[in-house]
């Protein structure tokens, strides 16, 4: 008798959590409880053939809950995950509220599943979607070769900024398509304004027919929150507090699925054939790497898929013990809902 | 009395060459000759208010020409640049035919103008557009700090694949806009096919609502021609045959203007304030770097502009003597027509 709660059940990631639960052959839950803000309470959602009424977030909503998955804003998690714990649940949280708390493990099951079981605060954190999109691949390579340095540039999808981000990108695309813009400074912004879209955008610049080298919020010395998360979370998940990391996070006009160009330097010698074997041996990775046939992963081929796709694996020509590669992962699935659910499965497995 | 010829005058880059010549306050040319393939011969184009008839490519077309700028396919340059030289012209070539020839200088005027005057074959090469997009910035930093290592990820525009690339992107955008695609594997490709676009694409994958980690042709050990050009041309332009370079070249759904995320390691200590001064002192660079105000360069703000735009300058947190930054440059202007014309101006200046 195990009860799972989804907190934020009516949100974008919550919906994907329900999709994932629906698609599982079997689930270990005797009850699934859907929790959301008061304005979503009373909605009825179908989960594994059963209609479930969404209940409002309250302390009592967690009574009898064993595992509570949270996908809500940082401040809501900060307040309510401890409440869930005080009512006897383990909280698996996909906000940024607890990720860097030394008493909260940050877990990617195929990398550091054991850590999910050492949780002094009763909370397990799910990493940021950008970090997660490359972590299955990096974890596998680290076990094989010993990771030392990481230089990363991202190609991040609009859905990383939530439903608002997706809606903005689709509206901008409709505004620019067929308008013959992209040829002179500012014509994309003019087409977007002419279509009546508000100047405020979650991306701080046009995203259609553009790329935006800024994701998250500004932090110290010119770095963004997103770039620091990639550094700090990679170090914590891999247990490498001295890992050298430089990340540049860039938004691209893709709906869902983050991609990363990764330049990774290892303690030991590397070669492409061995790296291919390492990737092929990891069930959560799909290797698509046939450059002669022009086969490589792209986000449009990965969206909606659970695995991390890896390709363009090259041995660096000038840097010893270094691989360059390209990775694509659905930021709403492995990057959010799927990994959170896999942590819940890991918790109930023991 | 100096005669300039434009070979490939009716192409995409040739048109930009004419725009640049039109916009110059004064030009040192007593005659401008327009040369193209026989099927374009007889067309009349207006240059600085004068109508000029395009003549067909022939040995005689170069008689009396002092400087001939070429923007034609590699094989055409390989055959015809030496013909122009044999008729007394200096050839400034924007193909890949001669770039790595040790007897042909590869010139970016603000970096290595002197080399334009040592040309044993009478030919000066213009670099590849991806390399060029970052070279003004790298040249300035190299003079200040001594460049040693370069890790680069590109965000390359469709126009890098010529007019065919631009047309494909615009047609794909029209096919996917308002269709509610980008949410599941393959739906973008289906929308493109449904719109009647041929499956063959210059990008080997959908480019609308996607990014494509492959540009150029497959070369040894999984590298692409484009990635090797970034490495080899950077070394040659900067005069650093031992420069360590790893590049990953990725196409993005932008019409024109290449962007690059650059991780550059130097011999000497670096800091952001000094780097800002170095960029500010270079007339061909515009610095847009106010992260707190969310001001940074994006391709939509740079297309059609001559300067290289630089922003997101950060001192690497974990790598000594290293800067991370983002750069945008119009690949048809500084990346092609403008730099070629600036080489021609440099040649006539002495």
């Amino acid at each position: 008798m195990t009860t799972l709660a989804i907190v934020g059940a009516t949100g974008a990631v919550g919906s994907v959590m329900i999709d994932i639960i629906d698609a599982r052959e079997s689930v270990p839950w005797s009850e699934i409880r859907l929790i959301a803000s008061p304005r979503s309470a009373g909605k009825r959602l179908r989960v594994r053939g059963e209609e479930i009424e969404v209940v409002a977030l309250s302390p009592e909503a967690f009574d009898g809950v064993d595992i509570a998955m949270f996908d809500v804003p940082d401040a809501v998690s900060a307040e309510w995950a401890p409440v869930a714990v005080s009512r006897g649940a383990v909280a698996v949280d996909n906000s940024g509220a607890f990720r860097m708390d030394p008493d909260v493990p940050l877990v990617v099951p195929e990398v550091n599943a054991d850590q999910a079981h050492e949780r002094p605060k009763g909370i397990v954190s799910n990493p940021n979607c950008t970090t997660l999109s490359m972590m299955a691949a990096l974890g596998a390579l680290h076990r094989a070769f010993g990771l030392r340095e990481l230089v990363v540039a991202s190609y991040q999808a609009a859905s990383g900024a939530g439903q608002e981000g997706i809606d903005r990108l689709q509206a901008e695309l409709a505004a620019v398509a067929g308008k013959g813009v992209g040829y002179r400074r500012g014509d994309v912004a003019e087409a977007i304004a002419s279509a009546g879209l508000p100047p405020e955008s979650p991306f701080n610049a046009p995203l259609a027919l553009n790329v935006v080298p800024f994701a998250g919020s500004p932090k110290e010395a010119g770095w963004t929150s997103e770039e620091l998360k990639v550094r700090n979370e990679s170090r914590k998940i891999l247990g490498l507090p001295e890992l050298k990391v430089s990340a540049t996070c860039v938004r691209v006009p893709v709906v869902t699925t983050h991609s990363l160009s990764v330049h990774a330097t290892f303690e030991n010698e590397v070669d492409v054939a061995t790296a291919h074997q390492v990737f092929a041996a990891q069930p959560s990775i799909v290797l698509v790497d046939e450059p002669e046939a022009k086969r490589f992963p792209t986000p449009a081929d990965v969206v909606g898929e659970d695995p991390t796709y890896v390709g363009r694996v090259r041995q660096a020509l000038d840097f010893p013990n270094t691989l360059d590669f390209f990775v694509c992962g659905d930021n709403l699935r492995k990057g959010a809902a799927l990994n959170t659910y896999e942590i819940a499965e890991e918790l109930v497995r023991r």
Side-chain angles (χ1 to χ4, degrees), chain A:
Chain A
M1 297 299 287
T2 311
T3 297
L4 176 74
I6 304 177
V7 186
T10 57
V13 171
S15 303
V16 178
M17 286 173 175
I18 293 172
D19 289 347
I20 289 166
I21 292 170
D22 278 342
R24 282 287 194 265
E25 266 188 38
S26 67
V27 296
W29 323 112
S30 49
E31 185 195 336
I32 293 172
R33 198 171 299 175
L34 306 181
I35 302 176
S37 64
R39 74 183 147 72
S40 292
K43 278 189 187 170
R44 303 181 72 84
L45 299 175
R46 191 164 281 276
V47 185
R48 294 185 76 83
E50 191 190 338
E51 210 164 73
I52 301 178
E53 185 173 319
V54 177
V55 300
L57 184 58
S58 74
E60 297 70 33
F62 295 102
D63 286 343
V65 170
D66 297 285
I67 298 172
M69 305 192 297
F70 281 75
D71 193 277
V72 292
D74 289 8
V76 179
S77 278
E79 181 181 349
W80 287 94
V83 174
V85 172
S86 75
R87 296 276 164 157
V90 178
V92 184
D93 181 42
N94 188 32
S95 83
F98 301 101
R99 285 181 188 140
M100 295 315 296
D101 184 327
D103 290 331
V104 173
L106 187 63
V107 174
V108 181
E110 61 267 63
V111 179
N112 62 345
D114 283 353
Q115 292 179 27
H117 304 284
E118 301 149 22
R119 42 174 198 274
K121 291 193 170 167
I123 301 170
V124 179
S125 269
N126 191 68
N128 167 269
C129 54
T130 310
T131 311
L132 251 179
S133 297
M134 65 177 175
M135 207 37 72
L138 280 180
L141 292 174
H142 174 52
R143 283 193 298 278
F145 304 120
L147 187 63
R148 289 295 170 267
E149 301 180 6
L150 207 49
V151 181
V152 170
S154 76
Y155 303 73
Q156 294 181 227
S159 64
Q163 189 62 44
E164 186 198 4
I166 297 175
D167 293 345
R168 178 77 190 193
L169 173 60
Q170 294 284 20
E172 288 189 0
L173 272 183
V176 304
K179 297 295 192 317
V181 293
Y183 300 91
R184 63 175 181 78
R185 179 174 194 174
D187 65 0
V188 168
E190 286 162 22
I192 290 169
S194 294
L197 288 176
E200 305 75 34
S201 152
F203 305 115
N204 305 297
L207 188 59
L209 285 174
N210 206 16
V211 302
V212 180
F214 197 91
S217 53
K219 296 290 176 186
E220 62 271 22
W223 295 89
T224 63
S225 56
E226 193 82 357
E227 290 159 352
L228 296 180
K229 284 176 185 174
V230 169
R231 173 175 180 252
N232 297 331
E233 296 184 17
S234 295
R235 290 174 156 199
K236 181 168 176 176
I237 296 161
L238 295 167
L240 294 169
E242 307 291 315
L243 182 66
K244 294 182 176 188
V245 183
S246 270
T248 299
C249 289
V250 180
R251 198 76 71 176
V252 295
V254 166
V255 175
T256 293
T257 293
H258 288 351
S259 305
L260 295 108
S261 168
V262 181
H263 174 85
T265 300
F266 300 90
E267 170 100 17
N268 301 310
E269 278 186 26
V270 293
D271 63 84
V272 171
T274 311
H276 276 180
Q277 288 167 12
V278 166
F279 290 134
Q282 172 86 39
S284 63
I285 290 176
V286 173
L287 184 66
V288 182
D289 197 11
E290 297 169 51
E292 292 292 336
K294 298 183 181 168
R295 294 197 65 237
F296 39 74
T298 79
D301 286 325
V302 171
V303 55
E305 300 284 301
D306 286 345
T308 299
Y309 283 63
V310 180
R312 298 297 328 280
V313 185
R314 291 148 292 157
Q315 185 161 4
L317 295 167
D318 305 316
F319 298 86
N321 303 355
T322 300
L323 292 171
D324 291 277
F325 59 95
F326 194 78
V327 58
C328 300
D330 184 325
N331 51 301
L332 297 184
R333 294 184 74 90
K334 184 61 181 176
L338 176 65
N339 197 71
T340 303
Y341 187 69
E342 288 173 342
I343 295 171
E345 286 182 323
E346 170 66 26
L347 291 173
V348 83
R349 192 173 293 133
R350 293 223 195 152

